[in-house]
Amino acid sequence: MTRQIPFLHWQKRADGTEVAHWKPSPSLRKAGFQNHMLGTRRNARDAAGTRAAMTAAMALNDKVAEWRTGKAAARSMARLPRKWRFADLVAAYRASTEWQGLGDKTQAEYNVRLRQLEYWAEEGNLPVRSIDKAMVADLKKGLLANDGSLFRCASTLRILRLLLNWAIGEGIIEDNATKGVKIPATPKRSVLLLESEVADAVAIAAGKGWHSLALGLELGLWSFQREADLLALTRLNWRVYDNAAPTDAAVLANARGDVRGFRLQQMKTRAWVDCPMPPWLHERIEAAFARSSQHDAQHLLYDDEQPGRPYPEWLFQRRLRKVLDEAGLEGKRFRDLRRSGMSMFRDLGVETAAIVTISGHAVIGTASVLDHYMPANTRAACAAMATALRARAAREAKRDAR
């Protein structure tokens, strides 16, 4: 049972998520204390969301205690406390609208670094104003010395910089101590898998009886979507597209004449995208949904040994590692499929602006315009897929004619 915190109330939304509110009593409101929205949680089992709201509520209750004992003059709770510990800052950031606007995947990634930073900041007890450039430089040196990971060092420093910039915007501090401390540059990953290499891995996965894993590999190449988004797909995402151009529909339609694909909202970017699927994958996708429904489930990618549950990410990755190693693809990762699929389409003559209608990337220089006015362009996504399939078919016909 959730620990009872005075003035902390949870309100359930229609979609099942819950919003935390700090609601002072009538007498406290009369004294100047105000209601506060402290954040959300997916459900009562969401420990991170619950803990963040409880921490923020207890910080507000501390101010009530100060007022009641005369240690602080009565004032509006909308004003910021005079002394902020690092843990207070993290709790306030997690309760902010900016945090709520992040995708679940991004929040999970940020939380890893925020926990590490709290440990560095004297278990969160370090006053925020005492953080200076020398401390940040020591943090950087320590991160590089302990494991030498440029990625871990860079991502930790980026989150610290973001957090302190947010604190400046809230009037908590005046300067960002990370300013002037160079964040290490991490080399961009450029690993690509050929369609033939993916086919080899698919055959190995199928040979092990991991047919759902095999399907996931093909979807990774042809949909350009991240692993987490594919693992979350259900039958609700699978749909018929009826607005493809006739010439494109002729290439994309299955034996029943349907052009089909997935519509989804990406967890990381919150962008809506349409992912038309090559017609030869339609039957396998339908078969996967059929097997899942036999176990009263709706997910597409299921644990090959327990079809009644969605594929756990850790298990998917463990089995994928075995398959890729056996295929001679050591060092390759699932996330390389997203880059590989986009590169494959580019090589097949698909323009970048068309590719990103499927991948969800923003077009440099016009991102805000496209994102606001042109979400999930089904027709353009179908055109991109059809262009690639036409070029692929022409290439195969030319090769066979030799």
Side-chain angles (χ1 to χ4, degrees):
M1 179 180 293
T2 302
R3 177 184 173 189
Q4 296 300 311
I5 305 295
F7 312 122
L8 174 60
H9 301 270
W10 291 95
Q11 179 181 6
K12 194 167 186 178
R13 291 173 169 168
D15 62 358
T17 61
E18 296 177 290
V19 184
H21 296 274
W22 188 82
K23 298 181 179 180
S25 65
S27 60
L28 291 177
R29 285 198 298 272
K30 187 175 181 180
F33 294 89
Q34 300 176 358
N35 292 351
H36 285 262
M37 199 280 278
L38 304 181
T40 63
R41 63 183 181 186
R42 290 186 294 275
N43 51 52
R45 296 186 300 276
D46 181 353
T50 302
R51 185 167 53 253
M54 291 174 62
T55 301
M58 287 189 289
L60 291 169
N61 288 341
D62 287 343
K63 301 304 169 184
V64 173
E66 288 179 306
W67 171 75
R68 283 176 170 166
T69 58
K71 291 181 180 178
R75 63 185 186 275
S76 168
M77 291 307 294
R79 294 180 59 190
L80 299 169
R82 294 179 180 176
K83 183 176 180 179
W84 283 72
R85 298 177 303 122
F86 193 83
D88 299 328
L89 178 60
V90 172
Y93 175 58
R94 286 183 175 136
S96 70
T97 55
E98 280 154 78
W99 176 266
Q100 303 307 320
L102 300 175
D104 292 343
K105 194 75 173 178
T106 302
Q107 286 185 359
E109 292 171 1
Y110 281 20
N111 274 327
V112 171
R113 304 306 170 198
L114 288 172
R115 286 192 292 269
Q116 293 169 347
L117 286 168
E118 283 192 277
Y119 176 79
W120 164 75
E122 300 176 2
E123 301 292 347
N125 292 311
L126 182 71
V128 178
R129 288 181 176 274
S130 69
I131 299 175
D132 57 25
K133 190 174 295 185
M135 288 185 63
V136 177
D138 286 342
L139 171 64
K140 175 183 175 180
K141 183 185 295 185
L143 288 169
L144 292 175
N146 286 338
D147 61 9
S149 170
L150 287 176
F151 174 78
R152 183 187 176 196
C153 179
S155 59
T156 302
L157 291 178
R158 285 194 190 97
I159 296 304
L160 179 59
R161 177 169 291 176
L162 179 150
L163 182 65
L164 296 182
N165 275 336
W166 183 82
I168 291 175
E170 295 296 309
I172 299 169
I173 56 176
E174 290 77 34
D175 298 306
N176 191 325
T178 67
K179 186 177 181 180
V181 177
K182 186 176 180 180
I183 295 178
T186 55
K188 292 185 177 180
R189 191 171 175 86
S190 57
V191 177
L192 296 176
L193 287 86
L194 301 175
E195 185 181 356
S196 59
E197 292 177 322
V198 176
D200 291 341
V202 167
I204 290 172
K208 293 178 177 293
W210 296 341
H211 298 286
S212 185
L213 178 67
L215 178 60
L217 276 165
E218 293 195 82
L219 292 179
L221 181 68
W222 287 99
S223 74
F224 315 159
Q225 300 308 305
R226 299 175 181 86
E227 178 181 295
D229 289 319
L230 293 178
L231 292 177
L233 290 177
T234 70
R235 186 175 285 279
L236 294 175
N237 300 109
W238 181 237
R239 61 191 59 205
V240 173
Y241 297 135
D242 56 9
N243 61 338
T247 53
D248 295 331
V251 178
L252 301 177
N254 57 30
R256 297 187 300 273
D258 292 334
V259 177
R260 302 201 66 130
F262 297 101
R263 170 165 288 188
L264 60 101
Q265 185 178 30
Q266 295 177 335
M267 295 182 186
K268 183 174 183 178
T269 65
R270 312 310 297 171
W272 282 97
V273 293
D274 277 309
C275 307
M277 287 289 99
W280 64 80
L281 286 179
H282 292 192
E283 286 190 11
R284 291 180 55 197
I285 291 170
E286 291 287 354
F289 280 130
R291 187 174 186 200
S292 182
S293 64
Q294 290 175 359
H295 298 269
D296 298 323
Q298 293 292 318
H299 41 267
L300 173 64
L301 299 179
Y302 50 80
D303 180 352
D304 283 291
E305 296 177 6
Q306 297 183 50
R309 69 170 181 170
Y311 235 128
E313 188 172 2
W314 65 269
L315 184 59
F316 186 88
Q317 292 175 354
R318 177 185 294 178
R319 291 175 179 168
L320 177 67
R321 182 73 273 139
K322 293 181 180 179
V323 167
L324 293 178
D325 287 349
E326 287 189 32
L329 301 172
E330 298 87 350
K332 305 293 177 69
R333 303 177 185 176
F334 189 91
R335 65 189 178 101
D336 296 327
L337 293 172
R338 176 171 164 86
R339 184 185 313 105
S340 301
M342 295 176 67
S343 297
M344 178 178 70
F345 270 44
R346 178 199 60 200
D347 293 343
L348 289 170
V350 184
E351 297 293 333
T352 299
I355 292 174
V356 299
T357 61
I358 302 176
S359 71
H361 286 93
V363 178
I364 296 174
T366 57
S368 61
V369 176
L370 290 179
D371 291 345
H372 185 73
Y373 293 104
M374 294 176 58
N377 191 330
T378 309
R379 193 178 182 90
C382 289
M385 179 63 72
T387 299
L389 295 188
R390 277 191 290 265
R392 179 178 180 271
R395 180 181 294 178
E396 291 180 347
K398 185 176 180 180
R399 184 174 60 242
D400 293 342
R402 290 174 182 172

